Amino acid sequence: RFFSALHALALVTATAFGVFLYRAPYAQTEVVFYFASFCAFLLLLQMLIAPRWWLAVAGGIMIGLAYLMKASILPTLGVWGAVFIAQSLWCFFKDKSGGASAFWKRIGLLLIVLSAFTAVILPYIRTNKRVFGQYLYNESSTFVMWCDSWPEGKDFLDTYGPGGKWRTLPPDQIPSATKYWRVHSIAQIVQRLVKGLVDLARLK
């Protein structure tokens, strides 16, 4: 619907044989996660073009389902929300005479998206809060990203991850933002970011 037939065929072919084919033989969440996150992307994109209440409900539900598969979808909701608010403010200041009601209507739709998203993930995040002490608990963002390498993060999870053994450690031995900033210099942080970007560009 968005592209010509030739471009649509090229996109489907590249996606099928460049992404899904390599994941298909394995019992992993990635294949269904890619599908759910893509559907969420299309629904939220439509919300920027022509916002409607049913799109808000469907977009919130779909991004909630994607979050239950992998937490890496969460920044997408934050970025979309920021863009949606900025777009709403732009429309308001561009047409102040009739923009007020439209602005608050859009804010209402934003709340519908967030409410639908929360309703889908509520049982999961309540369990997270009870077991781990955080609603949006995630091992990667809580521990691994504050380690100096993936092997270091994996060793920590293998040793202290099961059963929440990390809670028995003194705070200064648990990977965290506070510890990372305390034991690393600005130069080391910049060097790590640059190396990570280079490795990503080389597809390591």
Side-chain angles (χ1 to χ4, degrees):
R1 293 180 59 187
F2 291 97
F3 302 114
S4 66
L6 182 61
H7 286 95
L9 177 62
L11 176 62
V12 171
T13 303
T15 304
F17 293 98
V19 179
F20 286 93
L21 182 68
Y22 298 101
R23 299 286 188 179
Y26 305 98
Q28 294 178 321
T29 189
E30 274 78 4
V31 173
V32 67
F33 170 72
Y34 293 155
F35 175 74
S37 58
F38 182 64
C39 289
F41 170 77
L42 288 180
L43 290 167
L44 295 179
L45 181 64
Q46 283 293 100
M47 282 290 293
L48 296 176
I49 299 171
R52 302 185 184 107
W53 70 268
W54 63 269
L55 280 174
V57 173
I61 290 174
M62 191 56 68
I63 202 165
L65 293 174
Y67 175 80
L68 292 178
M69 297 170 203
K70 294 193 76 171
S72 58
I73 193 69
L74 193 57
T76 301
L77 183 59
V79 171
W80 174 83
V83 172
F84 191 77
I85 291 174
Q87 186 187 51
S88 301
L89 289 171
W90 171 262
C91 293
F92 172 72
F93 288 111
K94 187 177 180 181
D95 181 20
K96 289 186 178 180
S97 58
S101 60
F103 173 78
W104 290 113
K105 179 181 177 182
R106 290 175 65 92
I107 295 301
L109 292 173
L110 173 62
L111 293 177
I112 291 176
V113 172
L114 297 177
S115 299
F117 169 75
T118 304
V120 171
I121 70 170
L122 187 59
Y124 175 73
I125 63 175
R126 287 180 64 185
T127 304
N128 269 352
K129 179 64 175 178
R130 177 172 53 83
V131 176
F132 301 109
Q134 302 174 26
Y135 285 110
L136 299 178
Y137 172 81
N138 178 264
E139 288 182 338
S140 296
S141 58
T142 304
F143 304 119
V144 178
M145 70 179 289
W146 304 113
C147 297
D148 287 320
S149 64
W150 163 241
E152 180 184 333
K154 187 175 185 304
D155 288 343
F156 179 85
L157 292 181
D158 290 343
T159 306
Y160 299 106
K165 295 178 183 177
W166 55 269
R167 286 179 288 191
T168 63
L169 293 173
D172 61 343
Q173 294 184 24
I174 301 175
S176 64
T178 303
K179 178 184 176 184
Y180 188 84
W181 282 100
R182 187 175 66 249
V183 301
H184 292 80
S185 66
I186 296 297
Q188 288 174 319
I189 295 172
V190 172
Q191 184 180 12
R192 178 186 175 186
L193 289 173
V194 171
K195 182 181 183 302
L197 290 172
V198 170
D199 288 348
L200 184 62
R202 292 175 177 173
L203 298 179
K204 279 191 175 182

